[in-house]
């Protein structure tokens, strides 16, 4: 059943569930009338009762019942039922009302909160996106697990194809800002991944997709640059260089796609090159801190290798000897990296 909802992004959490409320599942379905454009008062009440009943089961400690509750809450959103906009609005309001206590900071059951975010991500309404975006930012949400799943949920929401371009644009801009400030490296990586998916958004005109792809590139480059500058300002080695590496690797693959507009590609590369050089500069200045742990050494070494590879591809390195800059840096020889930085600075300054 969950294959219908892209199960590689919609995974069952395996954390321990705290609450142990004994409840009975709803004995009726709402799929017989959710395609109707006009709903009766009784049908609206049924939507509320159905949603509340299944949502309460998410607080139990019975894995089988939780799985059934997830199926019950996501089934009405399956395209085969052709949910009308009216029904989607009422169903969305019922979900948000039921899930509000789940998402509260007073709730210690993170699994229930994560389930709520995952289900809300399939709605594709402006209100659900507003709620998910709030929990994707560390300005509002202290729990890193919720920030990560909310960030993934935004991608799911974009992929419903139901959101207008203006709402996608505003949510993506907020997500990029959240990624810039995110202190936990794997959350920032997921936020950048969601930004990279914008150009695959269904339901938009070709001109809107082109606009969204340009925004996606712009936001990814800016967020990565902000992370690098924040790491530099803190003057200590940080695992936040991991999302820098993964974000750059993703951009590299996106930019070599033949379908990308040539002017957009050129503009993005021109904006990206100074960031790549800056990555090398920060790695060089923080070598002594990075060598203190294998994880940091790998994070910085990977960022060096990725940035160097991209500079070689996008700028050219005809005058550079074939030197393993990363290997030398990790071994304690910083001179090849210093030489590479000077070379790229001079090469880009002469253009």
């Amino acid at each position: 059943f969950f294959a219908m909802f892209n199960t590689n992004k919609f995974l069952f959490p395996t954390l321990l569930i705290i609450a142990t409320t004994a409840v009975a599942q709803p004995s009726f379905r709402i799929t017989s009338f959710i395609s109707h454009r006009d709903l009766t008062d009784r049908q609206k009440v049924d939507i509320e009762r159905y949603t509340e009943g299944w949502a309460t089961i998410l607080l139990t400690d019975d894995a089988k019942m939780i799985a059934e509750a997830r199926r019950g809450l996501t089934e009405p959103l399956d395209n085969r039922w052709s949910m009308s906009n009216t029904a989607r609005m009422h169903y969305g309001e019922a979900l948000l009302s039921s899930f509000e206590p789940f998402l509260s900071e007073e709730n210690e059951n993170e699994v229930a909160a994560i389930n709520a975010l995952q289900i809300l991500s399939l709605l594709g309404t402006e209100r659900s996106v507003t709620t998910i975006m709030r929990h994707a930012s560390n300005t509002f949400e202290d729990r890193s697990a919720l920030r990560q799943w909310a960030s993934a949920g935004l991608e799911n929401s974009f992929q419903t194809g139901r959101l207008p371009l203006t709402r996608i644009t505003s949510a993506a801009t907020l997500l990029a800002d959240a990624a810039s400030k995110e202190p936990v490296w794997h959350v920032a990586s997921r936020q950048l991944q969601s930004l990279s998916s914008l150009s695959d958004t269904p339901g938009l005109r070709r001109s809107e997709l082109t606009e969204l792809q340009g925004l996606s590139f712009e936001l990814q480059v800016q967020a990565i640059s902000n992370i690098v500058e924040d790491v530099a300002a803190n003057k200590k080695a940080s695992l936040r260089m991991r999302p820098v590496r993964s974000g750059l690797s993703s951009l590299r693959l996106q930019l070599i796609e033949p379908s990308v507009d040539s002017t957009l590609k050129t503009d993005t590369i021109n904006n990206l090159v100074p960031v790549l050089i800056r990555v090398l500069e920060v790695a060089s200045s923080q070598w002594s801190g990075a060598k203190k742990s294998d994880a940091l050494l790998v994070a910085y070494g990977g960022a060096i290798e990725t940035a160097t590879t991209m500079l070689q591809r996008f700028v050219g390195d005809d005058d550079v000897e074939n030197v393993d800059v990363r290997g030398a840096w990790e071994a304690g020889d910083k001179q090849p990296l210093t030489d590479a930085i000077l070379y790229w600075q001079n090469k880009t300054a002469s253009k």
Side-chain angles (χ1 to χ4, degrees):
F1 175 81
F2 281 103
M4 302 173 189
F5 297 107
N6 199 352
T7 52
N8 66 317
K9 300 174 186 170
F10 202 79
L11 305 177
F12 283 98
T14 57
L15 300 174
L16 177 65
I17 299 176
I18 299 172
T20 58
T21 307
V23 293
Q25 66 189 47
S27 59
F28 62 95
R29 302 173 73 183
I30 61 174
T31 50
S32 62
F33 62 80
I34 56 174
S35 63
H36 299 177
R37 283 187 284 182
D38 295 316
L39 300 177
T40 66
D41 290 341
R42 173 61 186 273
Q43 288 169 339
K44 293 175 184 178
V45 171
D46 282 347
I47 287 176
E48 294 173 2
R49 289 175 52 229
Y50 179 89
T51 304
E52 183 179 357
W54 281 123
T56 305
I57 294 174
L58 293 177
L59 291 170
T60 70
D61 59 357
D62 187 320
K64 183 177 179 180
M65 289 188 68
I66 291 173
E68 291 178 359
R70 287 170 60 101
R71 279 192 291 270
L73 289 167
T74 56
E75 183 183 18
L77 297 168
D78 187 337
N79 289 335
R80 64 189 167 127
W81 303 117
S82 301
M83 180 181 276
S84 68
N85 289 335
T86 301
R88 187 176 295 272
M89 181 189 71
H90 285 288
Y91 192 59
E93 292 298 323
L95 284 176
L96 288 166
S97 177
S98 295
F99 289 158
E100 183 177 359
F102 291 30
L103 298 173
S104 167
E105 61 182 10
E106 284 79 28
N107 174 36
E108 297 180 356
N109 187 340
E110 288 194 3
V111 173
I114 289 169
N115 276 312
L117 289 170
Q118 291 176 331
I119 294 165
L120 285 175
S121 74
L122 300 177
L123 264 175
T125 65
E126 297 200 36
R127 278 208 62 197
S128 65
V129 167
T130 297
T131 297
I132 295 168
M133 183 61 244
R134 196 161 61 243
H135 291 278
S137 171
N138 77 317
T139 302
F140 176 86
E141 178 58 73
D142 292 332
R143 297 161 291 186
S144 62
L146 267 66
R147 296 200 303 274
Q148 178 154 346
W149 282 103
S151 301
L154 284 172
E155 179 177 345
N156 289 340
S157 295
F158 297 153
Q159 294 301 311
T160 63
R162 304 191 58 84
L163 294 167
L165 179 63
T166 53
R167 190 65 187 95
I168 296 172
T169 298
S170 62
T173 302
L174 291 171
L175 183 60
D177 183 63
S180 299
K181 301 172 182 176
E182 175 55 52
V184 180
W185 70 266
H186 56 82
V187 177
S189 294
R190 190 60 186 85
Q191 291 166 336
L192 291 173
Q193 182 180 333
S194 293
L195 289 173
S196 72
S197 73
L198 289 174
S199 58
D200 298 324
T201 303
L204 298 176
R205 297 190 298 270
R206 182 180 294 274
S207 60
E208 291 177 322
L209 274 176
T210 300
E211 179 182 341
L212 205 53
Q213 186 171 52
L215 177 68
S216 173
F217 285 148
E218 177 186 342
L219 293 178
Q220 289 177 78
V221 172
Q222 188 59 59
I224 291 170
S225 176
N226 289 343
I227 294 172
V228 172
E229 293 304 330
D230 202 27
V231 170
N234 288 332
K235 297 182 179 180
K236 59 186 296 186
S238 169
L239 287 176
R240 293 178 73 200
M241 288 298 274
R242 282 181 171 174
V244 170
R245 179 196 181 179
S246 62
L248 290 177
S249 296
S250 175
L251 270 173
R252 177 174 174 268
L253 293 176
Q254 294 169 60
L255 288 168
I256 62 177
E257 280 289 328
S259 60
V260 177
D261 177 77
S262 58
T263 300
L264 175 58
K265 181 183 294 187
T266 299
D267 291 344
T268 302
I269 289 172
N270 288 339
N271 292 331
L272 181 59
V273 165
V275 180
L276 297 173
I277 296 174
R278 185 63 175 144
V279 169
L280 300 182
E281 292 172 343
V282 173
S284 177
S285 67
Q286 295 187 351
W287 177 82
S288 59
K291 70 178 182 178
K292 292 180 180 179
S293 78
D294 290 341
L296 286 169
L297 201 63
V298 170
Y300 277 72
I304 290 171
E305 182 176 14
T306 302
T308 300
T309 300
M310 294 177 75
L311 285 166
Q312 290 170 339
R313 180 180 183 89
F314 297 137
V315 181
D317 64 345
D318 297 337
D319 303 324
V320 176
E321 295 182 10
N322 188 17
V323 178
D324 181 5
V325 176
R326 173 182 181 174
W329 181 85
E330 290 180 341
D333 181 4
K334 295 192 292 181
Q335 192 58 47
L337 178 56
T338 301
D339 293 342
I341 292 170
L342 183 60
Y343 171 79
W344 296 118
Q345 287 173 335
N346 291 335
K347 180 121 181 173
T348 54
S350 63
K351 286 196 170 186

